[in-house]
Amino acid sequence: MGLISSIYAAVSGLQLNSQELSVVGDNIANVNTIGFKRGRAVFEDSLAQWVVGPGSGQIGNGARAQTVQKMMGQGALLQTGVGTDLAIQGSGFFVAQGEVNGAKVNYFTRSGQFAVDNEGYLSTLNGMRVQGYTADAEGNILYNQGNLLIGDTSFPPLASSEVTLKANLDAQAEVLPPLDWGDLSGTTNFSTTTTVYDSLGTPHQIDIYFHNDGGGQWSWVGLTDGGGIEGGVEGEQTQIASGTMTFDAEGKMATHTQTSTFTPKDALAQPLNFNLGDPTATNGTGLDGITQFSAPSAASFINQDGYPPGELAGIQIDDSGIILGTFTNGQSRTLAQLALSDFPASDQLMRVGGNMYAQTAEAGEPNIGTAMTGGRGQVVSGALEQSNVDLAQEFIRMIASQRSYQANAKTISSADQLLAELMSLKR
């Protein structure tokens, strides 16, 4: 190997160290890029030449680049408190769909900076739609991969079918004259109020009045404004339910009867049961609803099972990527589940910019499924995965590459001096 060959070997060193500095510079530039995975330049020696003669052997021809390897190690998680910011703890990539030459193609990313776009789809900040599995109206996940529509969601109303009341009626309450519609407050001993909903989600206030008939016997009526009832008159109380109760000497409900007719205006007629407890006559305790003890009349619990229509107020995402929607009517429902993808050789994916990777033959086929299954990691909501670049390590690599570059340049300088000496032999 002559002096000219040594110059070429040193030139290969200059090129490789220049490439190493480019990789280091790219890593440092992306130190704050969410989901970025650092690169590592991998070099190998070049084919050596045989030297024949005394001291024969192989002399190398310098070095060459083998590959720039992606280091897919986990980055630290940064809590943001934003519900649509997501990170993956463990293996896997989020799947986002983009369009290339008119065809829809899946891309893969560790950057979970998502938002709901103007059409209600969960999307990346550059407009690609996040992929996953939507749910039906009952909240059951349908495992057909597609775009996640979560922002344009409403919750239909549910007509009330039962009113549950727990209360005590004062055993010492005055026995009053029969109920007078013109003087409800003066001819009833106790009243309470609840709101029920019809099939359209319209609220109806129900006033329940209790009357002490004496001898442990009580009667009650349920009234509502006639303006919301078929055939009723607005501003006038209309009876929709009534019943009687008897209590034994221990204050337990012994018997209970009721009738109910509730036909809201412009809505479906609906049965409305008033659950006032299980009387002892039907093998109940007589203590789980209305009781009659020597204590002031008071309601301790009142509830009904209907609700009005609601609009989406917010979302929550659990470790398995299930997206739970909370609505303005106080209800919640599963809306969708995120899809994650893993690869046999994820470090062989191709960077395409925008924090995205594309599939390659070397990476293998994507294994798309749900989080925490098939070796895929868990989803962390309200957090982002930071770059896995270690600045201290990159600066050390920068210094080493700089010194190596200088050493290779020195080799060229030394070879040039020797060639000058050789040329000076002929004068």
Side-chain angles (χ1 to χ4, degrees), residues 104-124:
K104 293 182 178 179
V105 179
N106 283 340
Y107 291 96
F108 309 92
T109 182
R110 293 282 294 195
S111 174
Q113 290 176 299
F114 302 141
V116 178
D117 66 17
N118 59 355
E119 296 183 27
Y121 289 93
L122 187 65
S123 303
T124 65

Side-chain angles (χ1 to χ4, degrees), residues 17-211:
N17 282 284
S18 177
Q19 183 174 346
E20 167 75 347
L21 284 171
S22 295
V23 173
V24 170
D26 180 57
N27 290 341
I28 294 174
N30 285 284
V31 69
N32 289 320
T33 300
I34 297 299
F36 179 80
K37 301 302 178 184
R38 67 184 180 90
R40 180 177 67 178
V42 180
F43 306 141
E44 61 184 7
D45 65 331
S46 186
L47 183 65
Q49 295 180 350
W50 280 97
V51 177
V52 180
S56 63
Q58 288 183 298
I59 299 178
N61 285 327
R64 63 184 179 186
Q66 186 180 67
T67 187
V68 177
Q69 184 182 12
K70 300 176 188 68
M71 309 304 292
M72 306 302 290
Q74 178 77 44
L77 300 189
L78 174 67
Q79 296 295 324
T80 66
V82 179
T84 53
D85 281 349
L86 303 175
I88 300 173
Q89 180 73 48
S91 300
F93 297 82
F94 298 110
V95 184
Q97 192 173 88
E99 193 168 297
V100 177
N101 297 326
K104 293 182 178 179
V105 179
N106 283 340
Y107 291 96
F108 309 92
T109 182
R110 293 282 294 195
S111 174
Q113 290 176 299
F114 302 141
V116 178
D117 66 17
N118 59 355
E119 296 183 27
Y121 289 93
L122 187 65
S123 303
T124 65
L125 297 185
N126 57 8
M128 292 187 182
R129 287 181 173 169
V130 180
Q131 299 296 289
Y133 311 100
T134 55
D136 61 18
E138 303 299 322
N140 301 309
I141 299 294
L142 306 175
Y143 288 100
N144 298 316
Q145 183 186 325
N147 300 331
L148 298 182
L149 179 63
I150 61 174
D152 185 20
T153 307
S154 60
F155 206 107
L158 178 67
S160 303
S161 62
E162 183 171 271
V163 175
T164 300
L165 176 61
K166 295 182 180 181
N168 181 67
L169 300 176
D170 191 353
Q172 306 300 319
E174 179 184 1
V175 177
L176 298 175
L179 186 144
D180 181 358
W181 288 87
D183 185 19
L184 289 172
S185 61
T187 57
T188 57
N189 301 88
F190 173 67
S191 67
T192 189
T193 300
T194 188
T195 299
V196 299
Y197 299 91
D198 62 27
S199 58
L200 298 176
T202 304
H204 300 265
Q205 179 175 307
I206 306 296
D207 299 316
I208 307 172
Y209 291 88
F210 295 88
H211 180 274

Side-chain angles (χ1 to χ4, degrees), residues 326-339:
T326 55
F327 295 82
T328 53
N329 58 0
Q331 304 301 306
S332 61
R333 186 179 73 229
T334 296
L335 302 178
Q337 185 171 16
L338 288 161

Side-chain angles (χ1 to χ4, degrees), residues 7 34 41 57 99 102 126 155 174 221 229 248 253 263 284 309-310 322 331 333 335 353 363 370 389 395:
I7 291 176
I34 297 299
E99 193 168 297
N126 57 8
F155 206 107
E174 179 184 1
V221 292
I229 302 296
D248 62 20
M253 181 191 293
T263 308
I322 289 179
Q331 304 301 306
R333 186 179 73 229
L335 302 178
T370 57
V389 173
F395 284 140

Side-chain angles (χ1 to χ4, degrees), residues 307-330:
Y307 44 79
E311 299 299 325
L312 185 67
I315 61 173
Q316 298 175 348
I317 304 175
D318 68 11
D319 293 348
S320 62
I322 289 179
I323 303 173
L324 183 70
T326 55
F327 295 82
T328 53
N329 58 0

Side-chain angles (χ1 to χ4, degrees), residues 276-347:
L276 305 182
D278 295 322
T280 57
T282 57
N283 297 320
T285 65
L287 297 172
D288 59 349
I290 305 293
T291 57
Q292 182 190 249
F293 298 132
S294 292
S297 298
S300 58
F301 177 82
I302 187 165
N303 190 38
Q304 55 82 40
D305 57 358
Y307 44 79
E311 299 299 325
L312 185 67
I315 61 173
Q316 298 175 348
I317 304 175
D318 68 11
D319 293 348
S320 62
I322 289 179
I323 303 173
L324 183 70
T326 55
F327 295 82
T328 53
N329 58 0
Q331 304 301 306
S332 61
R333 186 179 73 229
T334 296
L335 302 178
Q337 185 171 16
L338 288 161
L340 296 186
S341 178
D342 205 1
F343 292 85
S346 59
D347 63 329

